[in-house]
Amino acid sequence: MNPSESFDAQGLSRPDPHRGHRPRWEHLALTRRQLLQRCGMGMGALALGSVLAEATGLASTPAARGDQLNRGVNPLLPKSPHFAPKAKRVVHLFMNGGPSHVDTFDPKPELARLAGKELPKTLATERKTGAALPSPFKFAKRGQSGIEVSELFTRTAEHIDDICVIRSMHADVPNHEPSLMLMNCGDARQVRPSLGSWTLYGLGTENQNLPGFIVMCPGGYPISESQNWQNGFLPGIYQGTYLDPNHTDLEKLIENIRHNHITTQDQRAQLDLLAQLNAAHRDARQAEADLEARIQSFELAFRMQLEAEDAFDVSREPEWIREEYGPGVHARQLLITRRLLERGVRFVQLWHGAGQPWDNHDDIEVNHRRLARQCDQAIGAFLADLKRRGLFEDTLVIWGGEFGRTPTVELPTPGANAGKVNGRDHNHYGFTMWLAGGGVKGGHVHGATDEFGFQAVEDNVHVHDLHATILYLLGFDHERFTYRHAGRDFRLTDVHGHVVKGILA
Amino acid sequence: MPPAPAFRQRRAAFHRQRGSGDQVGTTPLWRKASLLVVWLLGTMPGVFSASVPAHATEPPAQAQAAATLEQITFFETKIRPVLAQHCYRCHGPTKEWNGLRLDSRERMLKGGDLGPAVVPGAPGESLILAALSHDPELDLKMPPDQPPLDQAIVEDFKLWISQGAPWPAEPQPPADAPTDQPHWAFQPIVKPTVPTRPGQSPIDALIERQLASQGLVPAPRADKRTLIRRATFDLTGLPPTPEEIDAFLADESPDAFAKLVDRLLASPRYGEKWARYWLDVARYADTKGYVFQEERRYPYAYTYRDYVVEAFNRDVPIDRFFVEQIAADRLVKPDSGNNRALAALGFLTVGRRFLNNQHDIIDDRIDVISRGMLGLTVACARCHDHKYDPISTAEYYGWYGVLSSSFEPDDLPILDATNTSDLAQRADYERQFAEQRQRVSNRVEEIRQAKLKDLRDRAGLYFRAALDIDFNPNHNRLDATARARQLSPELLRQVADRGGRCLDAAARDETHPLAGLVALVDGLKARRCADPADAPRTLDDALAQQVPTWAGDLFADRAAITTLEQVRDRLGEAVQNLANRAETDQADEATRAAWDVLRVQPDGPFNISPDQTRAVFNRAEREEVRRLEQRIAVIQAEHPGAPARAMVLVDKPDPGDARILIRGNPGRPGDPVPRRFLSILAGPNAPPFRDGSGRLELARAIVDPANPLTARVFVNRVWAWRFGTGLVDTPSDFGMRSEPPSHPELLDFLAASFIESGWSLKTLHRAMMLTETYQRAPVHPDPKACEAADPDNRLLWRFPRRRLLFEEMRDALLAVAGRLDDTIGGKPVSIVSQPFSTRRTLYGFIDRQNLEGIYRTFDLPDPNISAARRFVTTVPQQALALMNGPFLIEQARYLAGTLDPNAPVEDRIRYLSRCVLGREPTPRELDLAVAFVTRHDESTAERDDPRGPWRYGFGALNNATYAPAIRTARFEELPHFDADASAWRLGSDYPLNGDYLMLNAQGGHVGPTRDRSAIRRWIAPTDGLFLINGVLKHSSNQGDGVRGQVVSSRLGRLGEWTVHNGEVRTRLPVVVVLKGDTLDFVVDCRDGHAFDAFEWAPVIRRMPGKLGLWDAARDFRGPQPPPADLWTQYVQVLMMSNEFHFID
């Protein structure tokens, strides 16, 4: 579909994408057909397309797929997965630091009953914890489904009937770094490609004018930094492209996106000359797929300048939309995300902020309230916006942290917390994530933790299972989706993972 | 976040292995597990010993007797269904938890990590039975997380096992079965005899034989221009100069190409090019990867990079090169005066540091050795026997033992003959380094003295507090107690800990100076929480104690003492008295003796020895000292006079074998395994390594000429780096899963010749390059037929074209612009910061954690993992980097700047073509170029200014008071852009002579007078009707606020607003503007200029609204480069061309 058309069709006013002081790009950019004609190629556009598709398509054997990375062609062109996908694109809202499930999506009234008392069973986490700490937040049934959500995510909860809450997530260890690696890359310690990189490797991306895997984190990196979106042993182009959404200057968002040294007309003249020189060079040679791919990459880059300018400029959104998302950088990055998704970007990962904002070992009430306030309205608006534009059905939205938090209060540890005894420690035994859109069951709760929320006890979903399920929604059998490296075929799920059928729509 | 305690990670890892259902019990499970292992080892000798081959077949005693029909029926009805229902999910074809499969008798007998599951005929020794019956002795209850299966089922299994575990005969799976023929790569290298035509290279003969077998005729020889470009890039990573091309074209002697190859091999540029290939294998980087707080850089990684360059330039034999990289410390005599080879050990030590997890660091080193040198994926055996290759977990941990018997010393050796050139710098470094070290130790000492003083001045308080927490350093009220009394928790912990130990010692020794206190303190301790009714007795007990003489008469006014608290108080006072008196002349012997125990002894509770100071640091002190220490690391990394050091690994004084870690889990240690070479290469009885860590023996085993892999793997790498594809297509994996070589005989011929040549890489280059195969044309007269037979050109019917590597591309851009710096070696430089370094790209700083985008964009392999080859991708980001990135433009400008402006246009074009492409332009190219550089079409006239419409300046308005007459009388652009503050300013100093004038994206600050108003100017790029909107904001209740005005160059002042500690909307009615008009947003200080920061980021919209929008905040920019002239643009096109970026 052409998102900009549907945009206009709904009668939303849309500023002209062509800024007045720039010439009209579509008149300057060669279409591929024009390019081929101008280059006087013997090979037709269609034929070329099929050559490229063949060279980059999802080949049947891992070895063959590895080979195509050596042929000098664009490995980001769209590819088909194993079977028809439910989700075509993914947004991962990463609440880094570990949001407390018992304060957000997993109500535990038992904690109030046992407030200040020791729980019958306390599991070892990173630090010592003590008595039960009831949630300071009010829970209420939301939507038709009546799923209970705390007051922290009221706006998000307006969409609860379209959200699938998984209350039985569990991971391996109660520490940030390995848990971030597990959540993002499926392995706590070794260098492995991230979920986004796998997705890009498997599906390519719909819009060659924008990076296919974009990561935003306001103000800097989360801990473990760019490892969270690493390509591992996959080629470097599959790594996430990191942007700091606090910047408003496009140049700081995407490297080399602007031609500051010459005018657009001059650049067009340059590329015309370049195309002529390259055509002559190619015509004297053979097996020109690599040469042709590079010729095209300049035309793609030329168009990318405009596309990126447009995609990241949220000032082109109507006022009411911007108001709906609200103020602040979360609104901004979610609004940018929606603009990216409708332009065909495959995978967007949004982090709450630099470091580990949700890691509230102290003052959980104040901090969780502040953090939720920063993003709740924007998440709600984002989901509404996706629905309005018909993007919701095939966009998979993932919300969660690297783990949850203990239902017990964290005890003071010198040098580790502020000793206020009003926060929670990390908890990997049980926590909540939610999914929405892209083929998951709305208004549904999957699994449960024990009566205190310490440990997942019912329909447990390990991170590997979540990955298997996400890949399934994207059209992959996670056991067959492999990459040959260092003598063996690697998977995102290593040797683990089961598709969680219970959450599929 | 501090990493989790090791034990917890082990525990967690264990859980992961065991499945999710396990919970943390009170007894660490891993300890139970290791007990289990010990038990198993006792009952089943040889399970973990490497002397039993991984693919051990069933011992004859356990061979299955012919099963009766009855037994088979029993199995099929009672046993197999249970296995299928309850076991196969985790121990079957899809999963092998703990390496165990239960879907064949053989596999049951072989068992998993914990040993055989079934011992036929011996139910009591069969683990499966213990697991099924939930044997309380074992922490192994199957199926997991369920009540035990019916007792009847357990009885069935018992019966079945006692029958000898009969299993119906099943067809053997053919796939995994070993064949008689050993894997090709493990067979000895045999040099084939190759029949050749006179003068023909055996390489050509072998290549042509394969071509002929497909009925293919290879392409003819390439022209000389192609050859010199190909060979020069191939050996030096640089383009030939026009002069070199001319000389080669002019040399018509038959050995012209051989002379060219020799010249290139002798160039120091050669080592720089080929080092980079090896650095890919060695996963070279200049940083450690993710670390929490320590300095990330490796200050000396570059010495390894330089070692590789030098080794290749000197043609160090590759076997020697390999041995040095594993064990140079054993080859280099400490005082030989030439220890430069020590830097070779960087091969092992420049890897990622995995938050200092030793297991992962060692794994990384095993991986780089085994894949890099042997083409074997030994690291696959970390958790289980290799799935495909004959490499067992025992062998992995044999290597592990070698590396865990080695360590990195704190003081790395200084490399000889480095930095001698600049003695002054070296001296300055030594001074700074020593100063900083001194600063650290001074600060540590200062802290120590302060704490010592505190301990003496408040000894009584500390003692009293320690008493209150029962001398328990882990007391849960320790911190609260310290806080309440304003004591240092760290010191209290020490006093409690050491004081407790003193009292323990005193309790055992009546002559101990503190002996008298013990009973008293114990009494106070033990009764602390007892029944209040006991109190009087306790008090009496307390008062009955003999107290040491130094404590004075603690209870002289006995009547006044009515509570235990008072006893405690007095005890504290006594200790304080002791502290006050002990070091004075009045102190008696007993006093001195007590003080000696408490204070003077290194482990006295009130003492802090220098080396233990850090143990009592509080968080702030720890942070402060860490920051000071980090400065040392920074000096080492950054000071130009810092001596080069080798990142060595040396043998530990007590080397030893390592234990297997079951499933790679550090919480599950198994049997120790000998350090030795792989049995597949050295035979099943390879002698264990005995010399130190065993690294030297390992290295020698790797380069042993009888080892079939090392030479094959290396020559194949060279082939792949040269011809794009290896003879074996997986250069780092020659294991069972690798495809056989496309030219097996050629591979062996090259490997054997390589060994014969003394492992000389330069000889190998000559052999490969002085062939017809290497010198073939990139095009074939009949490509269709060839492509049909061999679409991937594996048979080399033509020379494979390739694109420049990233390093070659960047170096070539510098080279053709005439700017390449040919300095060899040294510390890494940034290749992304401006002004751009003109060093070769090899010397670029590589941060493996957050790799610069440019490296990723251009396919640098991930520096975390040994890379077998480079990907070649084509994405628009690469084009963007060339079209818009400042690096290429800088080179283009530079080259265009060397043109003679008076020369004829055609001559200038010829000159540029020669410089960039090394050839004359064709007539058509000349025409195109002339048209390009002389164009003056309408679009040129219409060219918009790349700086955009905004200008940032200051100035003054005229003196008119009638609004339509007001104009900007003076406008000067702010000359300085501060990138950190993202603001335009008057100069690099801010404020400049008290003038705070500046503009940023949101607003700015006015100057001190109205003559120095801040002016943001917008130059209309087009005619039209415009809406102007904004909010002028002033946020201080001091001063008198600011005034904002919008002044049009055509219409005069359009609006005026003043604001003080508030904001005002600056909306204007529709304004008519013609192209080129200016709108100035002028902000002045009114009468006083203090506190005159303001925000004002106007938005200009063209009417109707769809036609344009200029947002001052969004569009705000720093300085833009001056526009590139037409010649620069032309050079840029040549530098972007495919001809420049591909090598035929």
Side-chain angles (χ1 to χ4, degrees), chain A residues 183-205:
Chain A
M183 187 60 74
N184 281 309
C185 308
D187 188 297
R189 292 170 308 168
Q190 319 210 47
V191 177
R192 298 282 181 266
S194 58
L195 173 62
S197 296
W198 278 108
T199 306
L200 212 52
Y201 164 62
L203 291 178
T205 181

Side-chain angles (χ1 to χ4, degrees), chain B residues 86 110 140 195 201 343 357 375 427 455 491 533-534 586 659 706 726 777 809 874 1106:
Chain B
H86 295 288
K110 177 169 176 266
L140 189 69
S201 152
N357 178 323
L455 280 174
L491 292 180
D534 288 345
Q586 297 100 41
R659 287 174 182 276
M809 176 190 82
T874 304
K1106 287 192 173 185

Side-chain angles (χ1 to χ4, degrees), chain B residues 1030-1034 1043-1044 1057 1059 1062-1064 1066 1094-1096:
Chain B
V1031 175
L1032 176 64
K1033 194 168 167 187
H1034 177 261
R1043 173 173 64 154
W1057 306 268
V1059 58
E1063 58 181 58
V1064 59
T1066 61
F1094 65 92
E1095 287 178 35
W1096 197 17

Side-chain angles (χ1 to χ4, degrees), chain A residues 178-251:
Chain A
S179 297
L180 285 167
M181 288 302 101
L182 179 70
M183 187 60 74
N184 281 309
C185 308
D187 188 297
R189 292 170 308 168
Q190 319 210 47
V191 177
R192 298 282 181 266
S194 58
L195 173 62
S197 296
W198 278 108
T199 306
L200 212 52
Y201 164 62
L203 291 178
T205 181
E206 301 285 338
N207 186 337
Q208 302 304 314
N209 298 342
L210 289 169
F213 173 19
I214 291 179
V215 180
M216 287 184 255
C217 182
Y221 287 146
I223 59 159
S224 291
E225 303 164 0
S226 56
Q227 259 180 293
N228 288 302
W229 46 92
Q230 67 187 329
N231 50 291
F233 42 70
L234 294 174
I237 40 129
Y238 293 130
Q239 169 146 0
T241 297
Y242 167 79
L243 318 168
D244 181 346
N246 276 334
H247 290 305
T248 49
D249 183 352
L250 188 65
E251 266 167 303

Side-chain angles (χ1 to χ4, degrees), chain A residues 261-272:
Chain A
H261 63 298
I262 51 173
T263 63
T264 303
Q265 296 93 325
D266 284 340
Q267 190 163 68
R268 185 63 261 167
Q270 276 189 312
L271 294 191
D272 287 344

Side-chain angles (χ1 to χ4, degrees), chain A residues 297-452:
Chain A
S297 72
F298 281 90
E299 294 304 323
L300 288 171
F302 188 68
R303 288 198 289 265
M304 189 166 174
Q305 299 174 93
L306 169 70
E307 185 91 20
E309 183 101 44
D310 186 44
F312 287 94
D313 187 358
V314 294
S315 69
R316 298 174 192 213
E317 289 287 326
E319 195 71 28
W320 67 271
I321 294 256
R322 280 186 283 165
E323 272 166 20
E324 189 177 54
Y325 278 73
V329 73
H330 285 86
R332 183 176 152 73
Q333 67 175 359
L334 275 156
L335 193 44
I336 292 174
T337 299
R338 196 223 73 220
R339 292 177 70 85
L340 294 173
L341 293 177
E342 66 186 354
R343 284 166 176 76
V345 171
R346 185 71 72 192
F347 199 111
V348 182
Q349 188 176 50
L350 299 182
W351 295 74
H352 192 100
Q356 38 206 15
W358 285 89
D359 192 26
N360 301 151
H361 291 275
D362 295 290
D363 289 334
I364 196 160
E365 178 172 2
V366 176
N367 286 319
H368 263 44
R369 200 180 289 284
R370 171 178 54 82
L371 292 161
R373 192 176 294 145
Q374 286 168 358
C375 61
D376 178 40
Q377 178 184 353
I379 294 173
F382 174 73
L383 295 175
D385 208 1
L386 289 184
K387 290 181 192 171
R388 209 160 38 224
R389 283 157 210 274
L391 288 168
F392 184 74
E393 284 68 31
D394 52 8
T395 302
L396 178 64
V397 185
I398 306 167
W399 178 97
E402 63 269 37
F403 41 52
R405 307 203 79 80
T406 54
T408 46
V409 72
E410 177 166 327
L411 296 175
T413 312
N417 56 20
K420 295 181 174 174
V421 204
N422 59 1
R424 304 185 190 273
D425 192 19
H426 313 156
N427 180 6
H428 65 286
Y429 300 102
F431 59 100
T432 297
M433 292 183 75
W434 59 253
L435 308 179
V440 299
K441 219 182 266 179
H444 178 72
V445 173
H446 180 89
T449 48
D450 59 32
E451 55 192 323
F452 312 109

Side-chain angles (χ1 to χ4, degrees), chain B residues 102-407:
Chain B
L102 297 173
D103 53 348
S104 77
R105 183 174 191 269
E106 214 182 340
R107 291 183 173 117
M108 280 191 164
L109 266 48
K110 177 169 176 266
D113 299 334
L114 302 179
V118 165
V119 180
E125 290 170 34
S126 295
L127 205 49
I128 192 171
L129 207 62
L132 288 176
S133 54
H134 287 207
D135 185 337
E137 293 291 303
L138 284 178
D139 193 66
L140 189 69
K141 301 185 185 357
M142 292 291 151
D145 309 325
Q146 285 179 30
L149 299 178
D150 260 8
Q151 188 56 31
I153 295 179
V154 178
E155 291 302 323
D156 288 343
F157 270 80
K158 196 184 261 177
L159 177 64
W160 175 65
I161 294 170
S162 57
Q163 287 172 348
W167 196 296
E170 277 162 16
Q172 289 296 313
D176 290 354
T179 58
D180 296 340
Q181 187 72 356
H183 179 55
W184 63 268
F186 302 145
Q187 296 177 40
I189 299 170
V190 179
K191 186 172 184 177
T193 41
V194 185
T196 54
R197 296 192 304 272
Q200 189 192 27
S201 152
I203 296 174
D204 286 329
L206 290 166
I207 290 286
E208 280 168 31
R209 190 195 293 173
Q210 298 259 76
L211 282 169
S213 75
Q214 298 288 314
L216 299 178
V217 179
R221 191 179 153 90
D223 62 67
K224 286 183 85 176
R225 197 178 279 282
T226 300
L227 280 182
I228 184 172
R229 191 160 189 272
R230 180 186 298 171
T232 309
F233 266 116
D234 188 357
L235 287 180
T236 67
L238 294 169
T241 64
E243 296 72 33
E244 286 165 354
I245 297 171
D246 292 344
F248 181 61
L249 294 181
D251 184 351
E252 288 175 1
S253 60
D255 60 346
F257 188 69
K259 284 188 291 187
L260 171 68
V261 169
D262 284 340
R263 172 174 71 72
L264 295 170
L265 283 172
S267 160
R269 308 279 84 83
Y270 155 74
E272 292 174 321
K273 158 77 199 249
W274 280 75
R276 189 53 250 183
Y277 284 132
W278 185 251
L279 294 179
D280 285 1
V281 175
R283 83 256 174 274
Y284 175 85
D286 294 297
T287 64
K288 300 170 184 173
Y290 187 75
V291 295
F292 189 56
Q293 282 185 318
E294 63 188 286
E295 168 64 40
R296 277 184 187 198
R297 283 173 290 186
Y298 283 131
Y300 308 115
Y302 74 92
T303 62
Y304 172 65
R305 177 245 287 147
D306 290 351
Y307 160 83
V308 178
V309 174
E310 191 182 329
F312 283 158
N313 274 336
R314 286 177 36 223
D315 201 24
V316 169
I318 295 303
D319 54 348
R320 170 89 189 175
F321 176 66
F322 278 14
V323 173
E324 286 178 348
Q325 290 179 85
I326 299 177
D329 56 317
R330 299 296 308 278
L331 303 175
V332 173
K333 301 269 185 307
D335 301 317
S336 63
N338 182 17
N339 67 0
R340 293 185 64 76
L342 283 180
L345 288 162
F347 179 69
L348 300 179
T349 52
V350 297
R352 190 174 183 86
R353 287 303 164 105
F354 306 96
L355 287 166
N356 291 325
N357 178 323
Q358 284 304 307
H359 307 295
D360 292 337
I361 291 174
I362 289 176
D363 186 61
D364 166 66
R365 291 173 183 175
I366 290 174
D367 187 57
V368 77
I369 298 172
S370 68
R371 284 203 295 134
M373 293 178 175
L374 285 170
L376 283 181
T377 52
V378 174
C380 280
R382 181 178 181 181
C383 308
H384 48 73
D385 290 350
H386 198 297
K387 282 227 197 300
Y388 307 107
D389 292 340
I391 300 165
S392 68
T393 303
E395 291 179 307
Y396 175 89
Y397 286 96
W399 283 36
Y400 183 102
V402 171
L403 291 161
S404 65
S405 294
S406 311
F407 75 107

